[in-house]
Amino acid sequence: MTPTAPAIELKGISKSFGPVQANRDISLSVARGTIHGIVGENGAGKSTLMSILYGFYKADRGEIFINGTLTPIPDSQAAIRAGIGMVHQHFKLVENFTVVENVILGAEDGAFLTPSIAKARKTLTQLSEDYGLRVDPDAIIEDLSVGHQQRVEILKQLYRHADILILDEPTGVLTPTEADQLFRILERLRAEGKTIILITHKLREIMDITDTVSVMRRGEMTNTVKTADTSPAELAEMMVGRKVLLQVDKTPAIPGEVVLSVQDLRVRHGGVDRLKGVSFDIRRGEIFGIAGVAGNGQTELLEVLGGMISASGGSVTMFGAPLDISGGGANGQTRRARGIGHVPEDRQTEGLIMPFEAWENVAFGYHKDPKYNAGPLMDHAAMQADCADKMARYDVRPPNPRLPARNFSGGNQQKIVVAREMDRAPDLLLVGQPTRGVDIGAIEFIHKQIIALRDQGKAILLVSVELDEIIGLSDRIAVMFDGRIMGERLPDQTDQNELGLLMAGVTEGAA
Amino acid sequence: MDKMPKWADVILIPLISVVLALVVSGLVVALIGESPWRAMQVMVRGAFGSAYGWGYTLYYATNFIFTGLAVAVAFHARLFNIGGEGQAAIGGLGVAIILLNVAWPHWTIALIAALVFSAAFAAAWAAVPAYLQARRGSHIVITTIMFNYIASALLVYLLVNVFRVDGSMAPESARFAETVHLPGGGDFAGFLGFSATTPLNVSIFLALAACVLVWVLIWRTRLGYEIRSFGHSESAAVYAGISPYRITMITMLISGGLAGMMAINVVMGEAERLVLDFVEGAGFVGIAVALMGRSHPVGVVLAALLFGALYQGGAELQFEMPAISREMVVVIQALVILFTGALDNMVRMPMESLFLSLRRRREDAARKTPAE
């Protein structure tokens, strides 16, 4: 090991999956004791590159040097031996085990657990002190907050002597406060000489915490720059390959009559109270945004309004007439007939049937519409023509109605859903996470469509975990926490910090 | 991007599976000291060598088309209906009840009535597991297989205590009237050499018509669209306002009804009375037929023909080569089911990587050529 060698050096890494070249001749050098950001759109090849570094995939070509030594990484065991640790976006923790049990899982010293646990507890205490990662070693994982669970993941890697930490979209599930705490931990780790690779699509985080940043586009590493020398606008341009509007342009809202009125809505699902009395109105020509950390009742709110699940109490009216919120969760058809469009939170498991071709998906949920039918049979020609028309107007690429949904990129899949739900100009549009896993170019397009629908005088309920999106699009913002609305704010009279506190359940009285 | 061309998925893989099954069967035959080559010849000749053989092969294939379609329809809704055996048995009960208790003037009217009754009885039998799945979450694989035993026991009870003719020792119903006799292969295809004794009867046309109707249902109707949507993703179906309860019930009613119609071929067309165990495993063979036929009616017809030939050829085999017992024939049939159904991935995965590497090589070559 040479003291000046970079912690990680990749030389000419290439990897293809069938005809898709996921990584093309990538070279990268990360100095020890730095935080290096990697940004890029979905499908740019970030995850593939990190999977190669962590031994999940084997590169077709190229070499990996760790601390100056050529180190082949055929599997994740080898990665761990080389001192590489990975914190996945979705935690790999056993929910009903304690922290210490999770930490030693797969790294036990022998057949009997007691000595391993005793040793691990001592090491954990030491690690917690060294890096400011305070977690109770005997707490059960499912009792911990998401932020603390993430700390356990980091501790797990440190326990395995990781010197290089890869974090994949670590703040996706955190409140802004928790994200700040995570960044303080990362800074501490850096100060102790650890090397950190941070994969994210949030440019603000890149600017806040990283020392250097690399941009990936279409499988290639296009730029590596010092963070201090760049700006979010420049990074966005490097990612997309053209100038992008990061700020959404919109005129002030002109709210009209009340479209949707929700009173004391309650949902009990899976034996848990998910909504504990939610009330709000949405008017014509306004976007009502709901912010909050995922899992605080937003999903159930969308699902009950979309007719997918039943409410256990409360009432909902649309244009003054009641909406059936019992019905056992098969009300999607009547909702559509009442003029409610619904872009669901998860396009892959709800909004689209992945093996279906695009033209079959464009009719999904509206398949009983006479225009798709000829007598008892479905009119495939009409469905395909309608799909081709929508693909052209909503810029779906490739514009091929015969391609299965799973073969489109995330952004184009979302455009298919958006085209289907928005093209009928519904009086009320429910939108959940409209730009999750969608590339920047498509985000811009989808945001414009949502605002255009508002300007036609339609009501829009927007649920998103991306605060920037909520603040940029909404005319009014409500924050949900633990099944309740914690407060309502106007976007120009609030900021990330205030919303972040509400998202963490801190009410005005206590703040 | 699909990993393989469609023809490889639909034709090549089943073909390789069958060949592998036959090779292993050949090894088994060789192990007991018989010539695999001769056994093969006997089987093929037995199934296709004469009008007599064809008659039986097609007769069995008719059964398997019905039970195969039943499983295939349920597969499209991701429901694994392995209760075809019991549903067909109860379908036979419906056929017997309506044919024994009404004086039918002509076989055509009787056939329509038998069709309705076989399907209705079997659908009702399938409705109970369907309801338990849709409303109570009891897994349909468990409940349908339990219902097979109940159906079998019920049939024994009814044949012994209700249908048995006074003075007879055989657990079977009285013979149906002459007027409901279905035209056999000798009547409508005598010119092809079918005799009056062939079990082949007009039910085969019902089976083929059912194939067309199932194709229309699955790929051309709104209901089929909803069934396929539900089968691919229940959460998406709920999002689209498609009721899982409704689709589970309707799909299982159709599936059960198709299984029940198999009784027309056996009970009305061949035995002309209700006999014990007339289904003879056709309900289970239907699972292999649907798997091998990729749940597509055309594939089901081809797979049903293969299994019909195995049944008929196997019968000839134990007749001509006494060293190969009935159990041995069952082993051969089971090997085909094992390879085409359960071990599908064993063939599929190497084939997929073969096609991927072929494509990569082709693309590499295409990339190099212009440069050089």
Side-chain angles (χ1 to χ4, degrees), chain A residues 93-105 116-129 133-144 148-149 151-153 155-156 159:
Chain A
L93 296 171
V94 182
E95 295 248 305
N96 51 355
F97 275 17
T98 63
V99 170
V100 67
E101 284 171 334
N102 267 286
V103 166
I104 62 163
L105 187 65
S116 303
I117 289 183
K119 190 187 123 201
R121 186 172 285 122
K122 232 175 88 189
T123 318
L124 272 188
T125 318
Q126 189 62 44
L127 286 173
S128 304
E129 275 171 27
L133 279 156
R134 275 187 309 279
V135 185
D136 172 11
D138 295 309
I140 306 282
I141 294 297
E142 59 196 356
D143 298 337
L144 294 177
H148 279 81
Q149 292 186 10
R151 289 183 190 182
V152 178
E153 282 283 9
L155 279 170
K156 241 167 82 179
Y159 185 77

Side-chain angles (χ1 to χ4, degrees), chain A residues 250-384:
Chain A
K250 70 180 173 67
T251 53
I254 312 160
E257 64 175 315
V258 172
V259 175
L260 185 80
S261 180
V262 174
Q263 292 302 322
D264 193 33
L265 189 61
R266 292 162 188 277
V267 171
R268 196 176 163 78
H269 202 231
V272 182
D273 287 315
R274 304 287 182 178
L275 285 187
K276 302 172 178 173
V278 168
S279 305
F280 59 85
D281 286 346
I282 311 180
R283 296 170 174 277
R284 281 190 180 281
E286 73 168 354
I287 299 175
F288 184 64
I290 293 187
V293 179
N296 278 292
Q298 306 97 309
T299 301
E300 287 76 12
L301 177 63
L302 282 177
E303 286 183 350
V304 75
L305 292 177
M308 296 168 67
I309 57 174
S310 297
S312 51
S315 68
V316 180
T317 58
M318 190 168 166
F319 294 122
L323 218 55
D324 178 12
I325 50 170
S326 50
N331 280 331
Q333 295 290 323
T334 45
R335 289 292 195 278
R336 286 170 178 81
R338 288 283 291 272
I340 300 179
H342 183 183
V343 178
E345 287 191 305
D346 190 334
R347 61 178 166 273
Q348 303 207 340
T349 64
E350 293 173 349
L352 296 168
I353 302 282
M354 300 309 275
F356 274 15
E357 291 174 2
W359 61 274
E360 286 179 289
N361 272 303
V362 160
F364 193 52
Y366 301 93
H367 51 278
K368 290 185 179 156
D369 189 326
K371 79 172 175 184
Y372 295 136
N373 288 281
L377 301 184
M378 298 195 87
D379 187 345
H380 289 188
M383 290 163 81
Q384 288 176 11

Side-chain angles (χ1 to χ4, degrees), chain A residues 18 308 332-333 336 342 349-350 353 355-356 360 364 367-368 373 375 377-378 380 407 420-421, chain B residues 1-2 216 219-222 225-226 228-229 232-233 235-236 238-243 360 363:
Chain A
M308 296 168 67
Q333 295 290 323
R336 286 170 178 81
H342 183 183
T349 64
E350 293 173 349
I353 302 282
F356 274 15
E360 286 179 289
F364 193 52
H367 51 278
K368 290 185 179 156
N373 288 281
L377 301 184
M378 298 195 87
H380 289 188
N407 291 13
R420 182 182 71 210
E421 300 301 324
Chain B
M1 202 68 181
D2 292 325
V216 170
W219 280 283
R220 284 293 181 275
T221 66
R222 286 183 289 284
Y225 179 87
E226 294 189 342
R228 286 182 296 128
S229 302
H232 285 304
S233 169
S235 50
V238 169
Y239 157 77
I242 297 166
S243 157
R360 193 165 307 146
E363 280 163 4

Side-chain angles (χ1 to χ4, degrees), chain A residues 61, chain B residues 356-372:
Chain A
R61 274 183 284 278
Chain B
L356 275 181
S357 71
L358 278 178
R359 181 156 62 197
R360 193 165 307 146
R361 195 166 306 163
R362 215 165 37 229
E363 280 163 4
D364 281 353
R367 210 169 298 138
K368 271 174 203 145
T369 332
E372 281 163 14

Side-chain angles (χ1 to χ4, degrees), chain B residues 234-289:
Chain B
E234 178 170 351
S235 50
V238 169
Y239 157 77
I242 297 166
S243 157
Y245 169 73
R246 184 174 156 266
I247 295 298
T248 303
M249 290 305 292
I250 292 180
T251 307
M252 281 301 289
L253 291 178
I254 295 172
S255 174
L258 283 165
M261 287 180 207
M262 171 263 185
I264 306 259
N265 188 39
V266 182
V267 176
M268 187 179 184
E270 204 267 331
E272 303 197 346
R273 61 193 187 280
L274 188 61
V275 294
L276 205 56
D277 286 336
F278 71 88
V279 187
E280 286 187 303
F284 292 118
V285 173
I287 299 169
V289 166

Side-chain angles (χ1 to χ4, degrees), chain A residues 165-187:
Chain A
L165 275 178
I166 306 169
L167 290 99
D168 186 7
E169 297 281 359
T171 60
V173 288
L174 303 181
T175 64
T177 323
E178 285 175 320
D180 272 345
Q181 288 167 353
L182 172 68
F183 290 161
R184 297 297 84 75
I185 291 168
L186 294 185
E187 280 168 358

